[in-house]
C-alpha cells in the first residue's frame, strides 16, 4: 500500500455497523398496495387512447398523458409516503399461462422499499417532464404520437420496476427499449435520428442476450422465475444455484450494461440525444438508464452473497465508465452531449457503488441524480428551445434573458458537482464512503492497490472532472456575449415551472439520508423480502466528505479560471486542445469506429463468405437432393410407363385378345351353336353316367 | 347271332333297316334337294313298316298319313318357294362337316352304347296282339286326355301362327286404306 | 326280335339326323334332318311300347303326339323360312349371322 492509500484509510473512519435488508414492514395489505395494477395498466390505456383520440385533436395527447401520470404520481407518492411512515411490503402474482417444465408465466407487482422509491421517482419526474413537454413540443410534428410513446414508456418502466419475477422484468425491459427507439427517432425525417434510434436498440439488444441468458440460467437452477424465490435460494446457498450464481449474475449485469450504458456498451446514449429534450430528460437521465442499476439493486442479495465474486468486475466496469466518459464530456460542444456523458459518468458511479456492496449509496444516488439531471436536461432544453441550436457556440449570455433557467441550471450543476447542502453532495459522499468499506472484493488487486482504494481515488478524480465540465458548460452557455443570431427569451410557464420544482428537489432530496443525523433512505430501501448485509456508517465520514468536496471545488475552480472570462475567441476555447489526448477524446476513443468496423466486417467479408458457402455448399446439397428427386421421378416414370403401364396394357390386351379368340365362337350361326350344344350334352351324359 | 338271323321276322327287319339306313344317308348327304326330300319318304315308309312289325298299326298309318301325305308335301312346297336349287349343285354342305361327323358319331356311340349296355338281352314280341284303335282311343281320351287337348291347342296355335307369318306385309297406310274401304 | 336292334336302328337314324342338322346349308334341309331325328324317336317309343305292352299303350300314344307336334312344327318352321327367304332372298343358313359377336 502506498502513501495515497494510507491517506485514504486515515481519512476513512472505522465506525459503523453492518445492517441489512429483510426488515419487517408495517403495511402488507390495503387499497394502495392491492391496486398497484392501476399504476401498471393506466399508462398503456392512455397510450392506446391517445393513438385514437389524438387523431381528432392532438391536445388529447397531453391531456390524457398528464391525467394518467397525475394519477401515477398520486398513487406512487402515496406508496412512498406509506413506505416512509410504516413501511410497505407486498407481492402479488397472477398466473397467466404455463411455460412448461414447471415454470409459470406470471404477472404481478412487488411493493417494497425499492419499488416504491422507483414509483415515486418515475411518477414525479415523468409528471414534471410531461408538463414541460406541453410547452416544448408545442407545434412539433406528431405531438399526440409523442405523448402516446412516452406514456408507453412510463407504463413499461413501471412494469419493469414492479416486476416480481424475471419474465415480467424482461418484458418491461424490452418495452422500455421499444419506447426509447420510438422516441429517439421521433424526428425520423432526419436520417441520423432514426439511425440513433436503431443504434440504441441494437446495442441494447446485444446486452439483452446476456440479460435473458442470465435470467434463464438463474431461474432454471432454482426452478422459478420469481425474484424473491431466487433470492431465497441464494440465501440458503442451494447447490444448483451456487454453481451458476456468478455466471448468471455476470450475465444479468451484462444486460444492465446495455440499458445503463456502461463502457463499452455506452455508445448509444450520446447519439440518443437526437430525440426531443423531454425524452432525454425523462428516459436517458432519470429513469430508463437507471433500470440497470435498479436490476442490480433488486438482485442485490444475490450479488452480496452467493455471487460476490462477480462484484469486482462490476466495480471495474463502473469505474471505467465513470472515468472515461467523464473525460469525453470535457471536449463536447453540444450541450446535450455534455449532459449525456455526464449521465454516463454518474451511472458509472451508481454501478461502482453497487459493485462495492454499497446498496443504499448507489440507489440514493439514483434518486438524487434523477432530479438534478432531469433539471439540467430540461434547463438545457429551455435554452435550446430559445436558441434553436444545441451547440454552445451558438449560445452565450443566456442568463440575462432566461433567469429562471439560469438559476435552476446552476443549482443542478452544483448538485451534480457535489456541493453541499445540495442533494448530490450527500449521495456522492455516501458512495465514496461505501467504497472505503467495500466488503469481499476488496481483496482483489488492481495495479498493486486494493480494488476499493483504486476506485475510491478514481471516483474522487471523477468528481473533479464532473465539476470542471459542468462549470465550463455553465459559463459557455450563460455567461459572456450571445453568439447567436436570434432573440432568445425565457420559456413559458409550462417549461419553467417544472424547472423550479426540480430545483427544490435537487436541494432537499439529499437530506433524506444523512448518516448520523437522519438515515431514512437507508431504512426505507432496506424494506425487502430478502435479507442482505451492507455497511451502514455511524455518522458522516468527514474525511471522505472533505475529499469529495475538495475534488468538486477544485474542478469548479479550474473551470472558472479557464472559462469565467467567457472564452470569446475560438483560440481561447481551444485551450483544451491537448494534442494527442484531445482527438482521442473527441473521437470517443474511436469506439464507434471500432464497432463500425465489426459491422463492416459482418456486412462485407463475413457476409460474402456466408453467401459463397450458402451458394456453393448448402445450395449444392439442396440442389443435389433436388436432382436426386428429379432422377427418382424419372425412374419412377419409366417404371410406370414401361412396367406398370405395360402390365396394365398387357392385361387389357389379353382381355381383348382372349375376347377376340372367344368371339370366334359367336358366329351367329345356329348350326354351330347346335353342334356345340349336342356335343356338350353327349359329353355330359358320358361323364355323368359312365365316369361318375 | 345265328338264332337271330334264323327268324324270318328279323330278315324283314334287316331289310327294312337297311333301307332306312340307306335312305337316311341319302337324306343328309344328297346334293339334290328333291332327292333328299324323297329319300325322307323312303325313311318314313320303312319306319311305318317297322311299326307294323311292332304291332303298332294305328301309329304306322298315322305316320304315313300325316308325315308322308302332309308334311312332306309341305316340304316340297317350301323347297320350291325358297327357290332352293333343285338341280345338282356343288355342295349342300358347309365347312363344318368334320365337326358334324364327329358330333354325330359321338351321339351314335353314346346312344348305341347305352342301349346295348342297358337292353342288350331283352327280347320282345313283335307281331302279336295288335294294339287296337279302341285301346288307343281309350287311352287318348282317358288317361292322356290333357296332353291330347294341349296338343290340339298346339296345332291351333301353329295354324294361326302360320297364317300370321305367311301374310303379306302391308304398310300402315295401306292398312288404313283397307279398313276404310 | 330283340329290343336292342330297334334301339340301335333308332340311334343310327338319330345320329344321321344330327349330322344333317349340323352339316346342311339350306334351312329346309335342316328341317328335313330334324324330321329324321323325330322319326328316330318315334321308332324308339314304339319299340319300347312293344316291349312294355302296358294297358294304356303309352308309347303309341306319345308317338301320335310327337307326329302331331312335328307336323305343327314343320308348318311353322317352313313359314318362317319362307319369310326369311322373302327378306333375304336366300335360304342359306350361313348367311344368317346377325347374331355374330
Amino acid at each position: 500500500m502506498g502513501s495515497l492509500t494510507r491517506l485514504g484509510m486515515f481519512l476513512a473512519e472505522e465506525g459503523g455497523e453492518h445492517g441489512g435488508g429483510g426488515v419487517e414492514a408495517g403495511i402488507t395489505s390495503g387499497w394502495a398496495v392491492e391496486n398497484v395494477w392501476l399504476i401498471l395498466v393506466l399508462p398503456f390505456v392512455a397510450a392506446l387512447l391517445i393513438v385514437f383520440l389524438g387523431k381528432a385533436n392532438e391536445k388529447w395527447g397531453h391531456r390524457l398523458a398528464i391525467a394518467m401520470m397525475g394519477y401515477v404520481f398520486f398513487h406512487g407518492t402515496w406508496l412512498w409516503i406509506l413506505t416512509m411512515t410504516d413501511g410497505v411490503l407486498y407481492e402479488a402474482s397472477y398466473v397467466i399461462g404455463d411455460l412448461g417444465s414447471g415454470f409459470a408465466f406470471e404477472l404481478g407487482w412487488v411493493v417494497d422499499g425499492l419499488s416504491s422509491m422507483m414509483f415515486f421517482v418515475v411518477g414525479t419526474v415523468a409528471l414534471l417532464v410531461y408538463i414541460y413537454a406541453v410547452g416544448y413540443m408545442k407545434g412539433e410534428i406528431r405531438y399526440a404520437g409523442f405523448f402516446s410513446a412516452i406514456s408507453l414508456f412510463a407504463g413499461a418502466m413501471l412494469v419493469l420496476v414492479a416486476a416480481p419475477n424475471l419474465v415480467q422484468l424482461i418484458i418491461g425491459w424490452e418495452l422500455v427499449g421499444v419506447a426509447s427507439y420510438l422516441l429517439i427517432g421521433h424526428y425520423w425525417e432526419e436520417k441520423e435520428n432514426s439511425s440513433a434510434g436503431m443504434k440504441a436498440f441494437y446495442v441494447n439488444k446485444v446486452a439483452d442476450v446476456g440479460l435473458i441468458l442470465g435470467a434463464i440460467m438463474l431461474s432454471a437452477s432454482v426452478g422459478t422465475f420469481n425474484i424473491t424465490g431466487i433470492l431465497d435460494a441464494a440465501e440458503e446457498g442451494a447447490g444448483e444455484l451456487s454453481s451458476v450464481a456468478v455466471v448468471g449474475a455476470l450475465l444479468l449485469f451484462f444486460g444492465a450494461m446495455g440499458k445503463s450504458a456502461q463502457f463499452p456498451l455506452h455508445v448509444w446514449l450520446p447519439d440518443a440525444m437526437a430525440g426531443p429534450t423531454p425524452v432525454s430528460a425523462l428516459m436517458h437521465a432519470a429513469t430508463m438508464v437507471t433500470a440497470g442499476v435498479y436490476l442490480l439493486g433488486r438482485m442485490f442479495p444475490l450479488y452480496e452473497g452467493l455471487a460476490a465474486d462477480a462484484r469486482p468486475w462490476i466495480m471495474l466496469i463502473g469505474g471505467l465508465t465513470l472515468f472515461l466518459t467523464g473525460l469525453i464530456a470535457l471536449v463536447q460542444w453540444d450541450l446535450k452531449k455534455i449532459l449525456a456523458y455526464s449521465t454516463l459518468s454518474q451511472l458509472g458511479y451508481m454501478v461502482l457503488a453497487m459493485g462495492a456492496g454499497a446498496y443504499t449509496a448507489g440507489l440514493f444516488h439514483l434518486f438524487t441524480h434523477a432530479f438534478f439531471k432531469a433539471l439540467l436536461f430540461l434547463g438545457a432544453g429551455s435554452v435550446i428551445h430559445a436558441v434553436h441550436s444545441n451547440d454552445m457556440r451558438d449560445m452565450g449570455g443566456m442568463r440575462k434573458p432566461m433567469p429562471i433557467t439560469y438559476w435552476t441550471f446552476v443549482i443542478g450543476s452544483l448538485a451534480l458537482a457535489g456541493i453541499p447542502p445540495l442533494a448530490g453532495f450527500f449521495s456522492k459522499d455516501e458512495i465514496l464512503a461505501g467504497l472505503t468499506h467495500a466488503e469481499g472484493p476488496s481483496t482483489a488487486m488492481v495495479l498493486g492497490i486494493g480494488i476499493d482504494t483504486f476506485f475510491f481515488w478514481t471516483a474522487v478524480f471523477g468528481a473533479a472532472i464532473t465539476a470542471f465540465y459542468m462549470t465550463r458548460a455553465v459559463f459557455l452557455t450563460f455567461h459572456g456575449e450571445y453568439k447567436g443570431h436570434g432573440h432568445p427569451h425565457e420559456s413559458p410557464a409550462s417549461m419553467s415551472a417544472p424547472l423550479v420544482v426540480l430545483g427544490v428537489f435537487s436541494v432537499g432530496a439529499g437530506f433524506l439520508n444523512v448518516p448520523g443525523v437522519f438515515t431514512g433512505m437507508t431504512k426505507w430501501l432496506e424494506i425487502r423480502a430478502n435479507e442482505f448485509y451492507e455497511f451502514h456508517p455511524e455518522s458522516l465520514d468527514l474525511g471522505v466528505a472533505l475529499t469529495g468536496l475538495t475534488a468538486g471545488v477544485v474542478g469548479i475552480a479550474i473551470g472558472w479560471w479557464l472559462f469565467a472570462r467567457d472564452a470569446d475567441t475560438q483560440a481561447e476555447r481551444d485551450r483544451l486542445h491537448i494534442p494527442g489526448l484531445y482527438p482521442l477524446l473527441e473521437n470517443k476513443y474511436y469506439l464507434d469506429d471500432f464497432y463500425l468496423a465489426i459491422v463492416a466486417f459482418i456486412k462485407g467479408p463475413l457476409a460474402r463468405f456466408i453467401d459463397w458457402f450458402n451458394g456453393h455448399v448448402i445450395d449444392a446439397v439442396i440442389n443435389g437432393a433436388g436432382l436426386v428427386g428429379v432422377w427418382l421421378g424419372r425412374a419412377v416414370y419409366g417404371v410406370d410407363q414401361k412396367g406398370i403401364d405395360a402390365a396394365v396394357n398387357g392385361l387389357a390386351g389379353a382381355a381383348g385378345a382372349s375376347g377376340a379368340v372367344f368371339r370366334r365362337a359367336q358366329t351367329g350361326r345356329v348350326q354351330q351353336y347346335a353342334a356345340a350344344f349336342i356335343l356338350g350334352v353327349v359329353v355330359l351324359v358320358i361323364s355323368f353316367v359312365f365316369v361318375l | 347271332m345265328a338264332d337271330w338271323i334264323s327268324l324270318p321276322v328279323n330278315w324283314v327287319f334287316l331289310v327294312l333297316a337297311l333301307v332306312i339306313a340307306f335312305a337316311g344317308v341319302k337324306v343328309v348327304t344328297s346334293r339334290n334337294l328333291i332327292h333328299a326330300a324323297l329319300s325322307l319318304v323312303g325313311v318314313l315308309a320303312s319306319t311305318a313298316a317297322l311299326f307294323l312289325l311292332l304291332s303298332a298299326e294305328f301309329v304306322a298309318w298315322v305316320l304315313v298319313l300325316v308325315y308322308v301325305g302332309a308334311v312332306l308335301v309341305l316340304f316340297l312346297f317350301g323347297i320350291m318357294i325358297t327357290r332352293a336349287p333343285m338341280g345338282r349343285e356343288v355342295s349342300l354342305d358347309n365347312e363344318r362337316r368334320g365337326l358334324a361327323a364327329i358330333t354325330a358319331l359321338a351321339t351314335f356311340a353314346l346312344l348305341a352304347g347305352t342301349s346295348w349296355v342297358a337292353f342288350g338281352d331283352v327280347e320282345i314280341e313283335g307281331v302279336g296282339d295288335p294294339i287296337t284303335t279302341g285301346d288307343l282311343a281309350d287311352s287318348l281320351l282317358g288317361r292322356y286326355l290333357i296332353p291330347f287337348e294341349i296338343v290340339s291347342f298346339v296345332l291351333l296355335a301353329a295354324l294361326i301362327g302360320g297364317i300370321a307369318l305367311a301374310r303379306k306385309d302391308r304398310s300402315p297406310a295401306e292398312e288404313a286404306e283397307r279398313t276404310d274401304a | 326280335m330283340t329290343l336292342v336292334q330297334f334301339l340301335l336302328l333308332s340311334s343310327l337314324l338319330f345320329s344321321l339326323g344330327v349330322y344333317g342338322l349340323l352339316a346342311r346349308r339350306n334351312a329346309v334341309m335342316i328341317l328335313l334332318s330334324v324330321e329324321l331325328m323325330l322319326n328316330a324317336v318315334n321308332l324308339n317309343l314304339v319299340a319300347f311300347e312293344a316291349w312294355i305292352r302296358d294297358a294304356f299303350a303309352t308309347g303309341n300314344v306319345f308317338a301320335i303326339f310327337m307326329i302331331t307336334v312335328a307336323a305343327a312344327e314343320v308348318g311353322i318352321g317352313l313359314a318362317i323360312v319362307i319369310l326369311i327367304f322373302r327378306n333375304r332372298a336366300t335360304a342359306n343358313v350361313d348367311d344368317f349371322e346377325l347374331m355374330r359377336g
Side-chain angles (χ1 to χ4, degrees), chain B residues 4 30 33 67 91 139, chain C residues 5 24-25 29 35 53 56:
Chain B
W4 183 77
S30 167
L33 274 169
Y67 256 123
S91 170
S139 183
Chain C
Q5 67 201 47
R24 288 304 222 174
R25 273 200 310 190
M29 290 300 111
E35 289 309 310
R53 279 284 184 158
F56 295 104

Side-chain angles (χ1 to χ4, degrees), chain B residues 69-93:
Chain B
V71 171
L72 228 66
V73 172
L74 214 55
F75 263 114
L76 286 170
F77 272 121
I79 288 168
M80 283 173 203
I81 289 174
T82 57
R83 295 199 206 118
M86 292 190 231
R88 248 171 208 276
E89 72 155 48
V90 179
S91 170
L92 280 176
D93 297 343

Side-chain angles (χ1 to χ4, degrees), chain A residues 494-574:
Chain A
S494 61
M495 286 168 67
S496 26
L499 292 176
V500 173
V501 174
L502 287 170
V504 170
F505 273 110
S506 303
V507 174
F511 294 113
L512 288 178
N513 207 40
V514 183
V517 176
F518 175 69
T519 51
M521 189 60 95
T522 311
K523 198 172 62 171
W524 303 324
L525 284 172
E526 283 174 350
I527 300 170
R528 294 279 299 270
N530 303 92
E531 291 185 2
F532 57 89
Y533 288 103
E534 66 156 348
F535 174 71
H536 294 158
E538 259 182 7
S539 60
L540 188 62
D541 193 304
L542 274 177
V544 169
L546 277 174
T547 314
L549 182 58
T550 312
V553 169
V554 164
I556 293 175
I558 298 176
W560 195 299
W561 177 62
L562 277 178
F563 297 105
R565 285 162 292 157
D566 168 48
D568 264 338
T569 64
Q570 189 61 33
E572 288 179 327
R573 286 162 178 253
D574 288 343

Side-chain angles (χ1 to χ4, degrees), chain A residues 303-325:
Chain A
Y303 286 98
E304 185 259 337
L306 213 56
D309 288 335
R311 296 223 309 268
W313 300 104
I314 299 176
M315 285 181 74
L316 180 67
I317 299 289
L320 272 175
T321 309
L322 183 167
F323 183 68
L324 293 174
T325 56

Side-chain angles (χ1 to χ4, degrees), chain B residues 25-63:
Chain B
V25 169
K26 273 292 280 193
V27 167
V28 295
T29 57
S30 167
R31 287 182 192 174
N32 193 325
L33 274 169
I34 303 293
H35 286 189
L38 292 174
S39 302
L40 189 64
V41 174
V43 170
L44 290 168
S46 310
T47 313
L50 277 176
F51 284 174
L52 285 173
L53 267 182
L54 290 167
S55 3
E57 291 159 355
F58 186 74
V59 182
W61 295 121
V62 165
L63 188 86

Side-chain angles (χ1 to χ4, degrees), chain A residues 261-280:
Chain A
Q262 298 297 299
F263 186 90
L265 296 175
H266 66 279
V267 294
W268 64 271
L269 193 68
D271 289 316
M273 296 299 114
T277 308
V279 169
S280 312

